[in-house]
Amino acid sequence: MMPVALASTSAVAYGISDYLGGVASRRARVLRVVSVSYPLSIVLVGVAALVAGGAPTGVGLGWGLASGLASGVAVWSFYLALSRGPMSVISPITAVLAAAVPLAFGLAAGERPAPAAGAGMALALVATVLVSMESRDGSSVRHGRLTRRLLVLTVFSGLAFAAFFVLLAQVPPGQGLWPVAASRIGATAMLLVAAVAARESFSFSRRLIAIGVVIAVFDAVANGAFYFASQAGMLSLVSVIAALYPAFTVALAIAHGGERMRAVQLVGLVLAGVAISLLALG
């Protein structure tokens, strides 16, 4: 039950962070937003790591750093894909890979979920795709069709997100939050390099800094919750729950962003609730 609760907390926090990131990106470019939020998340996780204690090892920190690099690559390639192609196609592909690959990895490693949990995982995969299916209007980027080159970039992004989940789950127990801090350092370094390469401005308004602080808080909670979930439970189980974060992003966009819910997204939200219930029972 605890791994499910932690993974669900991770999904909620990821969803809120993603929603706020989208709101901030309407006024500033994405790389400017993460250039504020990601360094702040290092500070927050670092303070939490000092309080939580633990005995970090080179192996644990190495896994954490590697997961962060994968996360940075995933975020950069995902937003690059969105800037060039249709979100209605790119988001579902990325989301299902982020969920399915860790699931397959966990099963291949010998994890054997209960039948109810297995059914919940299958529903979670379907729900992840459905809630990620945005229309070509509204928040979707109006850029042509999905070319072969863009498909490769999209798949690469999904695999990088999956790698983040898998790599962070490899951290040995008893390390405290230090591997998560190393992960945030890796992700921040990768995205700052991308920002410099894109000649991004590092001049931030007070509003952007304020939103960046809130994003950083939820980002830190999301990563910490997933880390502890993966320590306490099966990767195949917690990864598919964490990958349901688009459901919470969509819910916030509808409740507070004034966006209209598509029928397919409503079905996805319902399936997500059923999936989490089955996973809790399993």
Side-chain angles (χ1 to χ4, degrees):
M1 187 65 179
M2 182 58 69
V4 173
L6 287 169
S8 298
T9 300
S10 177
V12 172
Y14 276 132
I16 295 173
S17 176
D18 196 46
Y19 171 73
L20 292 174
V23 171
S25 297
R26 293 172 184 172
R27 294 177 175 268
R29 284 158 55 99
V30 172
L31 286 175
R32 288 189 68 199
V33 176
V34 297
S35 294
V36 174
S37 61
Y38 272 54
L40 288 172
S41 72
I42 295 176
V43 176
L44 293 173
V45 175
V47 171
L50 285 171
V51 174
T57 64
V59 172
L61 294 176
W63 283 117
L65 182 62
S67 73
L69 293 173
S71 175
V73 169
V75 170
W76 172 76
S77 56
F78 178 62
Y79 284 113
L80 182 60
L82 289 181
S83 71
R84 299 180 178 180
M87 183 183 292
S88 57
V89 180
I90 292 169
S91 290
I93 294 174
T94 304
V96 74
L97 285 173
V101 173
L103 169 60
F105 184 91
L107 294 177
E111 296 179 354
R112 293 295 178 265
M121 290 175 185
L123 280 180
L125 288 175
V126 175
T128 299
V129 174
L130 295 182
V131 298
S132 301
M133 293 182 68
E134 306 236 11
S135 67
R136 294 181 182 272
D137 305 315
S139 61
S140 295
V141 179
R142 298 175 183 177
H143 284 82
R145 62 189 181 83
L146 188 71
T147 63
R148 181 178 298 180
R149 188 172 184 177
L150 192 54
L151 176 61
V152 171
L153 183 63
T154 301
V155 171
F156 179 73
S157 174
L159 293 176
F161 277 120
F164 163 72
F165 286 137
V166 172
L167 291 169
L168 192 59
Q170 305 311 304
V171 176
Q175 310 269 318
L177 278 167
W178 294 109
V180 182
S183 177
R184 303 327 295 152
I185 290 173
T188 301
M190 181 63 65
L191 289 168
L192 287 179
V193 168
V196 171
R199 298 181 179 180
E200 189 58 74
S201 170
F202 290 97
S203 176
F204 309 117
S205 66
R206 291 183 179 179
R207 176 183 173 83
L208 182 56
I209 292 174
I211 295 179
V213 170
V214 180
I215 293 173
V217 170
F218 283 105
D219 181 74
V221 170
N223 285 281
F226 175 78
Y227 168 70
F228 285 123
S230 65
Q231 294 274 301
M234 293 181 288
L235 174 63
S236 56
L237 185 149
V238 300
S239 61
V240 295
I241 298 176
L244 283 170
Y245 72 88
F248 301 98
T249 303
V250 168
L252 280 172
I254 293 165
H256 297 284
E259 295 188 14
R260 297 178 61 184
M261 181 186 293
R262 300 180 67 207
V264 67
Q265 291 175 310
L266 175 60
V267 174
L269 289 173
V270 173
L271 288 180
V274 175
I276 292 176
S277 299
L278 287 172
L279 288 165
L281 291 174

